[in-house]
mmCIF file with all atom_site columns, all heavy atoms in Angstrom:
data_model
loop_
_atom_site.group_PDB
_atom_site.id
_atom_site.type_symbol
_atom_site.label_atom_id
_atom_site.label_alt_id
_atom_site.label_comp_id
_atom_site.label_asym_id
_atom_site.label_entity_id
_atom_site.label_seq_id
_atom_site.pdbx_PDB_ins_code
_atom_site.Cartn_x
_atom_site.Cartn_y
_atom_site.Cartn_z
_atom_site.occupancy
_atom_site.B_iso_or_equiv
_atom_site.pdbx_formal_charge
_atom_site.auth_seq_id
_atom_site.auth_comp_id
_atom_site.auth_asym_id
_atom_site.auth_atom_id
_atom_site.pdbx_PDB_model_num
ATOM 1   N N   . ASN A 1 1  ? 0.805  -1.227 0.000  1.00 0.00 ? 1  ASN A N   1
ATOM 2   C CA  . ASN A 1 1  ? 0.000  0.000  0.000  1.00 0.00 ? 1  ASN A CA  1
ATOM 3   C C   . ASN A 1 1  ? 0.835  1.273  0.000  1.00 0.00 ? 1  ASN A C   1
ATOM 4   O O   . ASN A 1 1  ? 0.307  2.353  -0.268 1.00 0.00 ? 1  ASN A O   1
ATOM 5   C CB  . ASN A 1 1  ? -1.056 -0.006 1.109  1.00 0.00 ? 1  ASN A CB  1
ATOM 6   C CG  . ASN A 1 1  ? -0.517 -0.084 2.511  1.00 0.00 ? 1  ASN A CG  1
ATOM 7   O OD1 . ASN A 1 1  ? 0.637  0.237  2.768  1.00 0.00 ? 1  ASN A OD1 1
ATOM 8   N ND2 . ASN A 1 1  ? -1.369 -0.497 3.445  1.00 0.00 ? 1  ASN A ND2 1
ATOM 9   N N   . GLN A 1 2  ? 2.155  1.175  0.224  1.00 0.00 ? 2  GLN A N   1
ATOM 10  C CA  . GLN A 1 2  ? 2.965  2.378  0.040  1.00 0.00 ? 2  GLN A CA  1
ATOM 11  C C   . GLN A 1 2  ? 3.111  2.691  -1.455 1.00 0.00 ? 2  GLN A C   1
ATOM 12  O O   . GLN A 1 2  ? 3.511  3.799  -1.821 1.00 0.00 ? 2  GLN A O   1
ATOM 13  C CB  . GLN A 1 2  ? 4.332  2.269  0.731  1.00 0.00 ? 2  GLN A CB  1
ATOM 14  C CG  . GLN A 1 2  ? 5.309  1.318  0.115  1.00 0.00 ? 2  GLN A CG  1
ATOM 15  C CD  . GLN A 1 2  ? 6.692  1.360  0.742  1.00 0.00 ? 2  GLN A CD  1
ATOM 16  O OE1 . GLN A 1 2  ? 7.633  0.877  0.145  1.00 0.00 ? 2  GLN A OE1 1
ATOM 17  N NE2 . GLN A 1 2  ? 6.851  1.921  1.932  1.00 0.00 ? 2  GLN A NE2 1
ATOM 18  N N   . ARG A 1 3  ? 2.733  1.732  -2.295 1.00 0.00 ? 3  ARG A N   1
ATOM 19  C CA  . ARG A 1 3  ? 2.754  1.918  -3.749 1.00 0.00 ? 3  ARG A CA  1
ATOM 20  C C   . ARG A 1 3  ? 1.347  2.103  -4.321 1.00 0.00 ? 3  ARG A C   1
ATOM 21  O O   . ARG A 1 3  ? 1.166  2.091  -5.539 1.00 0.00 ? 3  ARG A O   1
ATOM 22  C CB  . ARG A 1 3  ? 3.399  0.702  -4.420 1.00 0.00 ? 3  ARG A CB  1
ATOM 23  C CG  . ARG A 1 3  ? 4.865  0.586  -4.145 1.00 0.00 ? 3  ARG A CG  1
ATOM 24  C CD  . ARG A 1 3  ? 5.435  -0.771 -4.520 1.00 0.00 ? 3  ARG A CD  1
ATOM 25  N NE  . ARG A 1 3  ? 6.898  -0.716 -4.458 1.00 0.00 ? 3  ARG A NE  1
ATOM 26  C CZ  . ARG A 1 3  ? 7.604  -0.674 -3.334 1.00 0.00 ? 3  ARG A CZ  1
ATOM 27  N NH1 . ARG A 1 3  ? 6.981  -0.740 -2.170 1.00 0.00 ? 3  ARG A NH1 1
ATOM 28  N NH2 . ARG A 1 3  ? 8.914  -0.592 -3.355 1.00 0.00 ? 3  ARG A NH2 1
ATOM 29  N N   . GLY A 1 4  ? 0.349  2.213  -3.444 1.00 0.00 ? 4  GLY A N   1
ATOM 30  C CA  . GLY A 1 4  ? -1.017 2.378  -3.925 1.00 0.00 ? 4  GLY A CA  1
ATOM 31  C C   . GLY A 1 4  ? -1.711 1.073  -4.250 1.00 0.00 ? 4  GLY A C   1
ATOM 32  O O   . GLY A 1 4  ? -2.824 1.057  -4.749 1.00 0.00 ? 4  GLY A O   1
ATOM 33  N N   . HIS A 1 5  ? -1.034 -0.081 -3.974 1.00 0.00 ? 5  HIS A N   1
ATOM 34  C CA  . HIS A 1 5  ? -1.667 -1.395 -4.161 1.00 0.00 ? 5  HIS A CA  1
ATOM 35  C C   . HIS A 1 5  ? -2.353 -1.793 -2.858 1.00 0.00 ? 5  HIS A C   1
ATOM 36  O O   . HIS A 1 5  ? -2.223 -1.122 -1.850 1.00 0.00 ? 5  HIS A O   1
ATOM 37  C CB  . HIS A 1 5  ? -0.616 -2.463 -4.498 1.00 0.00 ? 5  HIS A CB  1
ATOM 38  C CG  . HIS A 1 5  ? 0.112  -2.241 -5.770 1.00 0.00 ? 5  HIS A CG  1
ATOM 39  N ND1 . HIS A 1 5  ? -0.247 -2.816 -6.966 1.00 0.00 ? 5  HIS A ND1 1
ATOM 40  C CD2 . HIS A 1 5  ? 1.202  -1.485 -6.044 1.00 0.00 ? 5  HIS A CD2 1
ATOM 41  C CE1 . HIS A 1 5  ? 0.591  -2.438 -7.908 1.00 0.00 ? 5  HIS A CE1 1
ATOM 42  N NE2 . HIS A 1 5  ? 1.483  -1.625 -7.382 1.00 0.00 ? 5  HIS A NE2 1
ATOM 43  N N   . GLY A 1 6  ? -2.994 -2.950 -2.870 1.00 0.00 ? 6  GLY A N   1
ATOM 44  C CA  . GLY A 1 6  ? -3.516 -3.488 -1.613 1.00 0.00 ? 6  GLY A CA  1
ATOM 45  C C   . GLY A 1 6  ? -4.672 -2.658 -1.102 1.00 0.00 ? 6  GLY A C   1
ATOM 46  O O   . GLY A 1 6  ? -5.661 -2.482 -1.789 1.00 0.00 ? 6  GLY A O   1
ATOM 47  N N   . ALA A 1 7  ? -4.515 -2.116 0.112  1.00 0.00 ? 7  ALA A N   1
ATOM 48  C CA  . ALA A 1 7  ? -5.658 -1.466 0.747  1.00 0.00 ? 7  ALA A CA  1
ATOM 49  C C   . ALA A 1 7  ? -5.253 -0.156 1.396  1.00 0.00 ? 7  ALA A C   1
ATOM 50  O O   . ALA A 1 7  ? -4.146 -0.008 1.878  1.00 0.00 ? 7  ALA A O   1
ATOM 51  C CB  . ALA A 1 7  ? -6.238 -2.400 1.808  1.00 0.00 ? 7  ALA A CB  1
ATOM 52  N N   . GLY A 1 8  ? -6.187 0.778  1.416  1.00 0.00 ? 8  GLY A N   1
ATOM 53  C CA  . GLY A 1 8  ? -5.982 2.022  2.149  1.00 0.00 ? 8  GLY A CA  1
ATOM 54  C C   . GLY A 1 8  ? -5.984 3.250  1.279  1.00 0.00 ? 8  GLY A C   1
ATOM 55  O O   . GLY A 1 8  ? -6.329 4.338  1.719  1.00 0.00 ? 8  GLY A O   1
ATOM 56  N N   . GLY A 1 9  ? -5.563 3.079  0.012  1.00 0.00 ? 9  GLY A N   1
ATOM 57  C CA  . GLY A 1 9  ? -5.620 4.207  -0.906 1.00 0.00 ? 9  GLY A CA  1
ATOM 58  C C   . GLY A 1 9  ? -4.668 5.329  -0.525 1.00 0.00 ? 9  GLY A C   1
ATOM 59  O O   . GLY A 1 9  ? -3.634 5.125  0.116  1.00 0.00 ? 9  GLY A O   1
ATOM 60  N N   . ALA A 1 10 ? -5.046 6.551  -0.884 1.00 0.00 ? 10 ALA A N   1
ATOM 61  C CA  . ALA A 1 10 ? -4.159 7.706  -0.758 1.00 0.00 ? 10 ALA A CA  1
ATOM 62  C C   . ALA A 1 10 ? -3.920 8.132  0.681  1.00 0.00 ? 10 ALA A C   1
ATOM 63  O O   . ALA A 1 10 ? -3.015 8.927  0.947  1.00 0.00 ? 10 ALA A O   1
ATOM 64  C CB  . ALA A 1 10 ? -4.732 8.875  -1.554 1.00 0.00 ? 10 ALA A CB  1
ATOM 65  N N   . SER A 1 11 ? -4.711 7.638  1.630  1.00 0.00 ? 11 SER A N   1
ATOM 66  C CA  . SER A 1 11 ? -4.516 8.066  3.019  1.00 0.00 ? 11 SER A CA  1
ATOM 67  C C   . SER A 1 11 ? -3.272 7.447  3.649  1.00 0.00 ? 11 SER A C   1
ATOM 68  O O   . SER A 1 11 ? -2.768 7.954  4.656  1.00 0.00 ? 11 SER A O   1
ATOM 69  C CB  . SER A 1 11 ? -5.745 7.711  3.871  1.00 0.00 ? 11 SER A CB  1
ATOM 70  O OG  . SER A 1 11 ? -5.772 6.321  4.155  1.00 0.00 ? 11 SER A OG  1
ATOM 71  N N   . ILE A 1 12 ? -2.756 6.363  3.097  1.00 0.00 ? 12 ILE A N   1
ATOM 72  C CA  . ILE A 1 12 ? -1.631 5.652  3.703  1.00 0.00 ? 12 ILE A CA  1
ATOM 73  C C   . ILE A 1 12 ? -0.425 6.582  3.842  1.00 0.00 ? 12 ILE A C   1
ATOM 74  O O   . ILE A 1 12 ? -0.007 7.227  2.874  1.00 0.00 ? 12 ILE A O   1
ATOM 75  C CB  . ILE A 1 12 ? -1.256 4.408  2.856  1.00 0.00 ? 12 ILE A CB  1
ATOM 76  C CG1 . ILE A 1 12 ? -2.409 3.387  2.839  1.00 0.00 ? 12 ILE A CG1 1
ATOM 77  C CG2 . ILE A 1 12 ? 0.023  3.762  3.369  1.00 0.00 ? 12 ILE A CG2 1
ATOM 78  C CD1 . ILE A 1 12 ? -2.755 2.796  4.180  1.00 0.00 ? 12 ILE A CD1 1
ATOM 79  N N   . LEU A 1 13 ? 0.128  6.638  5.039  1.00 0.00 ? 13 LEU A N   1
ATOM 80  C CA  . LEU A 1 13 ? 1.339  7.426  5.297  1.00 0.00 ? 13 LEU A CA  1
ATOM 81  C C   . LEU A 1 13 ? 2.566  6.605  4.908  1.00 0.00 ? 13 LEU A C   1
ATOM 82  O O   . LEU A 1 13 ? 2.639  5.409  5.209  1.00 0.00 ? 13 LEU A O   1
ATOM 83  C CB  . LEU A 1 13 ? 1.423  7.784  6.776  1.00 0.00 ? 13 LEU A CB  1
ATOM 84  C CG  . LEU A 1 13 ? 0.299  8.649  7.344  1.00 0.00 ? 13 LEU A CG  1
ATOM 85  C CD1 . LEU A 1 13 ? 0.366  8.662  8.865  1.00 0.00 ? 13 LEU A CD1 1
ATOM 86  C CD2 . LEU A 1 13 ? 0.366  10.063 6.789  1.00 0.00 ? 13 LEU A CD2 1
ATOM 87  N N   . THR A 1 14 ? 3.534  7.248  4.250  1.00 0.00 ? 14 THR A N   1
ATOM 88  C CA  . THR A 1 14 ? 4.763  6.561  3.838  1.00 0.00 ? 14 THR A CA  1
ATOM 89  C C   . THR A 1 14 ? 5.959  7.479  4.058  1.00 0.00 ? 14 THR A C   1
ATOM 90  O O   . THR A 1 14 ? 5.813  8.650  4.391  1.00 0.00 ? 14 THR A O   1
ATOM 91  C CB  . THR A 1 14 ? 4.726  6.178  2.349  1.00 0.00 ? 14 THR A CB  1
ATOM 92  O OG1 . THR A 1 14 ? 4.877  7.373  1.553  1.00 0.00 ? 14 THR A OG1 1
ATOM 93  C CG2 . THR A 1 14 ? 3.420  5.481  1.966  1.00 0.00 ? 14 THR A CG2 1
ATOM 94  N N   . PHE A 1 15 ? 7.149  6.950  3.796  1.00 0.00 ? 15 PHE A N   1
ATOM 95  C CA  . PHE A 1 15 ? 8.366  7.740  3.957  1.00 0.00 ? 15 PHE A CA  1
ATOM 96  C C   . PHE A 1 15 ? 8.393  8.958  3.040  1.00 0.00 ? 15 PHE A C   1
ATOM 97  O O   . PHE A 1 15 ? 9.132  9.908  3.293  1.00 0.00 ? 15 PHE A O   1
ATOM 98  C CB  . PHE A 1 15 ? 9.608  6.870  3.723  1.00 0.00 ? 15 PHE A CB  1
ATOM 99  C CG  . PHE A 1 15 ? 9.791  6.421  2.290  1.00 0.00 ? 15 PHE A CG  1
ATOM 100 C CD1 . PHE A 1 15 ? 10.496 7.211  1.385  1.00 0.00 ? 15 PHE A CD1 1
ATOM 101 C CD2 . PHE A 1 15 ? 9.260  5.213  1.844  1.00 0.00 ? 15 PHE A CD2 1
ATOM 102 C CE1 . PHE A 1 15 ? 10.675 6.796  0.061  1.00 0.00 ? 15 PHE A CE1 1
ATOM 103 C CE2 . PHE A 1 15 ? 9.428  4.800  0.529  1.00 0.00 ? 15 PHE A CE2 1
ATOM 104 C CZ  . PHE A 1 15 ? 10.137 5.597  -0.364 1.00 0.00 ? 15 PHE A CZ  1
ATOM 105 N N   . TRP A 1 16 ? 7.586  8.949  1.966  1.00 0.00 ? 16 TRP A N   1
ATOM 106 C CA  . TRP A 1 16 ? 7.537  10.123 1.089  1.00 0.00 ? 16 TRP A CA  1
ATOM 107 C C   . TRP A 1 16 ? 6.938  11.331 1.831  1.00 0.00 ? 16 TRP A C   1
ATOM 108 O O   . TRP A 1 16 ? 7.176  12.476 1.446  1.00 0.00 ? 16 TRP A O   1
ATOM 109 C CB  . TRP A 1 16 ? 6.695  9.831  -0.156 1.00 0.00 ? 16 TRP A CB  1
ATOM 110 C CG  . TRP A 1 16 ? 7.224  8.745  -1.054 1.00 0.00 ? 16 TRP A CG  1
ATOM 111 C CD1 . TRP A 1 16 ? 6.682  7.496  -1.228 1.00 0.00 ? 16 TRP A CD1 1
ATOM 112 C CD2 . TRP A 1 16 ? 8.371  8.778  -1.909 1.00 0.00 ? 16 TRP A CD2 1
ATOM 113 N NE1 . TRP A 1 16 ? 7.423  6.764  -2.128 1.00 0.00 ? 16 TRP A NE1 1
ATOM 114 C CE2 . TRP A 1 16 ? 8.469  7.522  -2.571 1.00 0.00 ? 16 TRP A CE2 1
ATOM 115 C CE3 . TRP A 1 16 ? 9.339  9.751  -2.184 1.00 0.00 ? 16 TRP A CE3 1
ATOM 116 C CZ2 . TRP A 1 16 ? 9.476  7.220  -3.482 1.00 0.00 ? 16 TRP A CZ2 1
ATOM 117 C CZ3 . TRP A 1 16 ? 10.346 9.442  -3.102 1.00 0.00 ? 16 TRP A CZ3 1
ATOM 118 C CH2 . TRP A 1 16 ? 10.408 8.193  -3.735 1.00 0.00 ? 16 TRP A CH2 1
ATOM 119 N N   . ASP A 1 17 ? 6.138  11.069 2.873  1.00 0.00 ? 17 ASP A N   1
ATOM 120 C CA  . ASP A 1 17 ? 5.560  12.142 3.712  1.00 0.00 ? 17 ASP A CA  1
ATOM 121 C C   . ASP A 1 17 ? 6.223  12.056 5.090  1.00 0.00 ? 17 ASP A C   1
ATOM 122 O O   . ASP A 1 17 ? 5.564  11.763 6.085  1.00 0.00 ? 17 ASP A O   1
ATOM 123 C CB  . ASP A 1 17 ? 4.044  11.942 3.895  1.00 0.00 ? 17 ASP A CB  1
ATOM 124 C CG  . ASP A 1 17 ? 3.325  11.588 2.607  1.00 0.00 ? 17 ASP A CG  1
ATOM 125 O OD1 . ASP A 1 17 ? 3.250  12.460 1.748  1.00 0.00 ? 17 ASP A OD1 1
ATOM 126 O OD2 . ASP A 1 17 ? 2.840  10.446 2.481  1.00 0.00 ? 17 ASP A OD2 1
ATOM 127 N N   . ALA A 1 18 ? 7.530  12.303 5.148  1.00 0.00 ? 18 ALA A N   1
ATOM 128 C CA  . ALA A 1 18 ? 8.316  11.921 6.323  1.00 0.00 ? 18 ALA A CA  1
ATOM 129 C C   . ALA A 1 18 ? 7.794  12.531 7.623  1.00 0.00 ? 18 ALA A C   1
ATOM 130 O O   . ALA A 1 18 ? 7.749  11.850 8.655  1.00 0.00 ? 18 ALA A O   1
ATOM 131 C CB  . ALA A 1 18 ? 9.783  12.285 6.122  1.00 0.00 ? 18 ALA A CB  1
ATOM 132 N N   . ARG A 1 19 ? 7.395  13.793 7.609  1.00 0.00 ? 19 ARG A N   1
ATOM 133 C CA  . ARG A 1 19 ? 6.988  14.452 8.858  1.00 0.00 ? 19 ARG A CA  1
ATOM 134 C C   . ARG A 1 19 ? 5.742  13.787 9.443  1.00 0.00 ? 19 ARG A C   1
ATOM 135 O O   . ARG A 1 19 ? 5.685  13.458 10.640 1.00 0.00 ? 19 ARG A O   1
ATOM 136 C CB  . ARG A 1 19 ? 6.728  15.936 8.588  1.00 0.00 ? 19 ARG A CB  1
ATOM 137 C CG  . ARG A 1 19 ? 6.451  16.776 9.836  1.00 0.00 ? 19 ARG A CG  1
ATOM 138 C CD  . ARG A 1 19 ? 6.414  18.261 9.429  1.00 0.00 ? 19 ARG A CD  1
ATOM 139 N NE  . ARG A 1 19 ? 6.303  19.154 10.585 1.00 0.00 ? 19 ARG A NE  1
ATOM 140 C CZ  . ARG A 1 19 ? 5.158  19.660 11.025 1.00 0.00 ? 19 ARG A CZ  1
ATOM 141 N NH1 . ARG A 1 19 ? 3.996  19.327 10.433 1.00 0.00 ? 19 ARG A NH1 1
ATOM 142 N NH2 . ARG A 1 19 ? 5.141  20.482 12.055 1.00 0.00 ? 19 ARG A NH2 1
ATOM 143 N N   . LEU A 1 20 ? 4.737  13.568 8.598  1.00 0.00 ? 20 LEU A N   1
ATOM 144 C CA  . LEU A 1 20 ? 3.512  12.918 9.065  1.00 0.00 ? 20 LEU A CA  1
ATOM 145 C C   . LEU A 1 20 ? 3.764  11.446 9.386  1.00 0.00 ? 20 LEU A C   1
ATOM 146 O O   . LEU A 1 20 ? 3.193  10.883 10.323 1.00 0.00 ? 20 LEU A O   1
ATOM 147 C CB  . LEU A 1 20 ? 2.407  13.039 8.015  1.00 0.00 ? 20 LEU A CB  1
ATOM 148 C CG  . LEU A 1 20 ? 1.940  14.455 7.659  1.00 0.00 ? 20 LEU A CG  1
ATOM 149 C CD1 . LEU A 1 20 ? 0.840  14.402 6.611  1.00 0.00 ? 20 LEU A CD1 1
ATOM 150 C CD2 . LEU A 1 20 ? 1.465  15.201 8.901  1.00 0.00 ? 20 LEU A CD2 1
ATOM 151 N N   . TYR A 1 21 ? 4.628  10.840 8.582  1.00 0.00 ? 21 TYR A N   1
ATOM 152 C CA  . TYR A 1 21 ? 4.911  9.410  8.757  1.00 0.00 ? 21 TYR A CA  1
ATOM 153 C C   . TYR A 1 21 ? 5.511  9.133  10.138 1.00 0.00 ? 21 TYR A C   1
ATOM 154 O O   . TYR A 1 21 ? 5.107  8.188  10.826 1.00 0.00 ? 21 TYR A O   1
ATOM 155 C CB  . TYR A 1 21 ? 5.862  8.935  7.660  1.00 0.00 ? 21 TYR A CB  1
ATOM 156 C CG  . TYR A 1 21 ? 6.114  7.453  7.660  1.00 0.00 ? 21 TYR A CG  1
ATOM 157 C CD1 . TYR A 1 21 ? 5.118  6.561  7.279  1.00 0.00 ? 21 TYR A CD1 1
ATOM 158 C CD2 . TYR A 1 21 ? 7.350  6.923  8.043  1.00 0.00 ? 21 TYR A CD2 1
ATOM 159 C CE1 . TYR A 1 21 ? 5.341  5.189  7.266  1.00 0.00 ? 21 TYR A CE1 1
ATOM 160 C CE2 . TYR A 1 21 ? 7.583  5.555  8.032  1.00 0.00 ? 21 TYR A CE2 1
ATOM 161 C CZ  . TYR A 1 21 ? 6.574  4.695  7.648  1.00 0.00 ? 21 TYR A CZ  1
ATOM 162 O OH  . TYR A 1 21 ? 6.800  3.340  7.644  1.00 0.00 ? 21 TYR A OH  1
ATOM 163 N N   . LYS A 1 22 ? 6.468  9.959  10.551 1.00 0.00 ? 22 LYS A N   1
ATOM 164 C CA  . LYS A 1 22 ? 7.093  9.756  11.860 1.00 0.00 ? 22 LYS A CA  1
ATOM 165 C C   . LYS A 1 22 ? 6.063  9.890  12.976 1.00 0.00 ? 22 LYS A C   1
ATOM 166 O O   . LYS A 1 22 ? 6.106  9.143  13.958 1.00 0.00 ? 22 LYS A O   1
ATOM 167 C CB  . LYS A 1 22 ? 8.253  10.739 12.050 1.00 0.00 ? 22 LYS A CB  1
ATOM 168 C CG  . LYS A 1 22 ? 9.483  10.373 11.234 1.00 0.00 ? 22 LYS A CG  1
ATOM 169 C CD  . LYS A 1 22 ? 10.628 11.350 11.416 1.00 0.00 ? 22 LYS A CD  1
ATOM 170 C CE  . LYS A 1 22 ? 10.469 12.577 10.562 1.00 0.00 ? 22 LYS A CE  1
ATOM 171 N NZ  . LYS A 1 22 ? 11.692 13.446 10.617 1.00 0.00 ? 22 LYS A NZ  1
ATOM 172 N N   . MET A 1 23 ? 5.106  10.810 12.818 1.00 0.00 ? 23 MET A N   1
ATOM 173 C CA  . MET A 1 23 ? 4.038  10.928 13.822 1.00 0.00 ? 23 MET A CA  1
ATOM 174 C C   . MET A 1 23 ? 3.182  9.667  13.846 1.00 0.00 ? 23 MET A C   1
ATOM 175 O O   . MET A 1 23 ? 2.824  9.164  14.917 1.00 0.00 ? 23 MET A O   1
ATOM 176 C CB  . MET A 1 23 ? 3.160  12.153 13.538 1.00 0.00 ? 23 MET A CB  1
ATOM 177 C CG  . MET A 1 23 ? 3.675  13.423 14.161 1.00 0.00 ? 23 MET A CG  1
ATOM 178 S SD  . MET A 1 23 ? 2.365  14.649 14.348 1.00 0.00 ? 23 MET A SD  1
ATOM 179 C CE  . MET A 1 23 ? 2.174  15.150 12.647 1.00 0.00 ? 23 MET A CE  1
ATOM 180 N N   . GLY A 1 24 ? 2.851  9.160  12.664 1.00 0.00 ? 24 GLY A N   1
ATOM 181 C CA  . GLY A 1 24 ? 2.015  7.959  12.588 1.00 0.00 ? 24 GLY A CA  1
ATOM 182 C C   . GLY A 1 24 ? 2.687  6.753  13.211 1.00 0.00 ? 24 GLY A C   1
ATOM 183 O O   . GLY A 1 24 ? 2.085  6.021  14.008 1.00 0.00 ? 24 GLY A O   1
ATOM 184 N N   . VAL A 1 25 ? 3.961  6.546  12.875 1.00 0.00 ? 25 VAL A N   1
ATOM 185 C CA  . VAL A 1 25 ? 4.694  5.404  13.440 1.00 0.00 ? 25 VAL A CA  1
ATOM 186 C C   . VAL A 1 25 ? 4.909  5.619  14.940 1.00 0.00 ? 25 VAL A C   1
ATOM 187 O O   . VAL A 1 25 ? 4.811  4.679  15.735 1.00 0.00 ? 25 VAL A O   1
ATOM 188 C CB  . VAL A 1 25 ? 6.032  5.190  12.709 1.00 0.00 ? 25 VAL A CB  1
ATOM 189 C CG1 . VAL A 1 25 ? 6.823  4.050  13.350 1.00 0.00 ? 25 VAL A CG1 1
ATOM 190 C CG2 . VAL A 1 25 ? 5.791  4.881  11.226 1.00 0.00 ? 25 VAL A CG2 1
ATOM 191 N N   . GLY A 1 26 ? 5.165  6.878  15.333 1.00 0.00 ? 26 GLY A N   1
ATOM 192 C CA  . GLY A 1 26 ? 5.318  7.180  16.758 1.00 0.00 ? 26 GLY A CA  1
ATOM 193 C C   . GLY A 1 26 ? 4.066  6.845  17.541 1.00 0.00 ? 26 GLY A C   1
ATOM 194 O O   . GLY A 1 26 ? 4.130  6.257  18.631 1.00 0.00 ? 26 GLY A O   1
ATOM 195 N N   . PHE A 1 27 ? 2.909  7.212  16.981 1.00 0.00 ? 27 PHE A N   1
ATOM 196 C CA  . PHE A 1 27 ? 1.643  6.895  17.652 1.00 0.00 ? 27 PHE A CA  1
ATOM 197 C C   . PHE A 1 27 ? 1.466  5.382  17.767 1.00 0.00 ? 27 PHE A C   1
ATOM 198 O O   . PHE A 1 27 ? 1.102  4.855  18.828 1.00 0.00 ? 27 PHE A O   1
ATOM 199 C CB  . PHE A 1 27 ? 0.459  7.524  16.903 1.00 0.00 ? 27 PHE A CB  1
ATOM 200 C CG  . PHE A 1 27 ? -0.865 7.290  17.581 1.00 0.00 ? 27 PHE A CG  1
ATOM 201 C CD1 . PHE A 1 27 ? -1.335 8.178  18.538 1.00 0.00 ? 27 PHE A CD1 1
ATOM 202 C CD2 . PHE A 1 27 ? -1.627 6.161  17.297 1.00 0.00 ? 27 PHE A CD2 1
ATOM 203 C CE1 . PHE A 1 27 ? -2.541 7.949  19.196 1.00 0.00 ? 27 PHE A CE1 1
ATOM 204 C CE2 . PHE A 1 27 ? -2.836 5.916  17.943 1.00 0.00 ? 27 PHE A CE2 1
ATOM 205 C CZ  . PHE A 1 27 ? -3.283 6.816  18.895 1.00 0.00 ? 27 PHE A CZ  1
ATOM 206 N N   . MET A 1 28 ? 1.721  4.665  16.658 1.00 0.00 ? 28 MET A N   1
ATOM 207 C CA  . MET A 1 28 ? 1.559  3.206  16.662 1.00 0.00 ? 28 MET A CA  1
ATOM 208 C C   . MET A 1 28 ? 2.430  2.563  17.739 1.00 0.00 ? 28 MET A C   1
ATOM 209 O O   . MET A 1 28 ? 1.975  1.665  18.477 1.00 0.00 ? 28 MET A O   1
ATOM 210 C CB  . MET A 1 28 ? 1.917  2.630  15.289 1.00 0.00 ? 28 MET A CB  1
ATOM 211 C CG  . MET A 1 28 ? 1.907  1.108  15.237 1.00 0.00 ? 28 MET A CG  1
ATOM 212 S SD  . MET A 1 28 ? 2.397  0.402  13.644 1.00 0.00 ? 28 MET A SD  1
ATOM 213 C CE  . MET A 1 28 ? 4.192  0.560  13.704 1.00 0.00 ? 28 MET A CE  1
#
């Protein structure tokens, strides 16, 4: 899903959105 396959669509956070991604992984 970091490539747009699978599930979740455009909402999926990835390393391309590093600032938001670190928050998401931090929360998890």
Side-chain angles (χ1 to χ4, degrees):
N1 61 21
Q2 71 174 197
R3 291 166 169 73
H5 297 265
S11 75
I12 296 297
L13 298 168
T14 72
F15 69 88
W16 297 109
D17 315 291
R19 187 172 186 263
L20 298 180
Y21 186 71
K22 286 180 278 187
M23 273 202 286
V25 177
F27 183 89
M28 174 183 78

